[in-house]
Amino acid sequence: MGLFGMFRAKETPSEPPKKEPSPFAPALIEIARIISGGDEEVLQDVTSCAQDPKGWFAAHQERYEERGVVDDPDDLDQVQWLGLVDILEERGWVCDRDWKDELEDFSYFLQNLKGFQALGLELDESWFDEDEDIPAWCTVLTEKWKSQEVRVAAININTDSYVLFPTTYAHLDELQKLAGEIGQCIDYVEQM
């Protein structure tokens, strides 16, 4: 074995480094599973976002720009958190509503969520005072849906909007714990 043979022997094809999923990923995926009722498309997208947040950001940069994240982000947890919200919203599981939403819009978007339909909920605009706001309307819904043990929850994205979705009390407890484990917040709207 000559000199070049010695170098060739040391040249071994290296395997690409394995990507380790973020510690954020398991909680994020479980949150998506609970909110979406196990929607496979949601879970696939959230898994992709969680496993490669930089790639997800690059592929969906326009959506992040709409949320005010314009540069290559340093906070990959934020990329994943906002990615979760966008995926759930695009698939019809949550709605992002401005804090000064009109009752008609609030009612329309909430009633058209897949979770609203899956839970068999009812909403009548006559229950509300249109001069109130989202937390007040959600308080009314909590009372109306008490027997079904359902209330409107929100995903906190640190803006003045509410990312709304209906959920059972049991699921809300679990969502609160999972979000807390990764330094995020999901709570019932009246607490936001």
Side-chain angles (χ1 to χ4, degrees), residues 53-88:
K54 284 189 177 200
W56 187 267
F57 177 83
H60 300 88
Q61 193 161 2
E62 184 177 303
R63 186 70 172 136
Y64 285 96
E65 286 174 2
E66 290 172 11
R67 294 201 178 275
V69 182
V70 292
D71 296 324
D72 190 28
D74 294 328
D75 185 353
L76 295 180
D77 290 349
Q78 179 188 28
V79 168
Q80 293 173 76
W81 192 243
L82 293 176
L84 167 73
V85 169
D86 288 342
I87 292 162
L88 289 169

Side-chain angles (χ1 to χ4, degrees), residues 9-10 16 18-19 22 27 33 36 40 46 61-62 90 102 110 122 132 147 150 172 186:
K10 290 186 179 182
K18 293 182 182 176
K19 288 184 183 176
S22 159
R33 186 194 64 74
S36 74
E40 285 299 319
V46 171
Q61 193 161 2
E62 184 177 303
E90 288 169 9
E102 299 289 328
L110 193 63
E122 183 181 326
E132 292 287 348
S147 65
V150 172
L172 182 56
I186 296 176

Side-chain angles (χ1 to χ4, degrees), residues 17 25 141:
L141 291 175

